[in-house]
Amino acid sequence: MLITKWAKAILSHPRDIIKGNYYRLINKNDLLYLSRYQKCKTCKYLESVPSVGEICGECGCPLESKLRLEEFECNYIKK
């Protein structure tokens, strides 16, 4: 279930989620987010959760936050 994956992602990576949300609020790394999101749009794991937004259906991370982190690497999209 998507809500369970999303909740698990928040509990297992709270520092990353907080940092990514902060970056989203101040519009930091917008270009990095947009370039990564182009790949996510075609990914079979892209899911939408009401009132949360788009998340990775595999790891549960909210994309608007996670894709802004420089140290993040996707394990599901082939490079």
Side-chain angles (χ1 to χ4, degrees):
M1 181 175 213
L2 291 176
I3 297 293
T4 305
K5 286 183 182 180
W6 175 70
K8 185 177 179 182
I10 288 176
L11 294 174
S12 62
H13 307 289
R15 187 175 184 184
D16 289 342
I17 300 299
I18 291 168
K19 183 178 175 183
N21 278 316
Y22 174 72
Y23 283 6
R24 181 179 53 82
L25 290 172
I26 65 169
N27 297 320
K28 183 171 181 179
N29 294 342
D30 280 346
L31 294 176
L32 178 63
Y33 163 74
L34 291 171
S35 68
R36 289 176 171 177
Y37 182 68
Q38 292 302 312
K39 293 178 184 177
C40 289
K41 285 193 324 187
T42 62
C43 181
K44 67 181 181 179
Y45 299 117
L46 179 66
E47 301 285 345
S48 184
V49 175
S51 74
V52 173
E54 293 178 318
I55 68 168
C56 173
E58 276 299 296
C59 70
C61 291
L63 297 182
E64 283 225 35
S65 302
K66 189 72 177 231
L67 297 178
R68 294 175 187 273
L69 301 175
E70 298 92 354
E71 60 273 13
F72 169 70
E73 287 189 34
C74 180
N75 296 322
Y76 308 108
I77 295 177
K78 292 185 180 179
K79 306 205 176 10

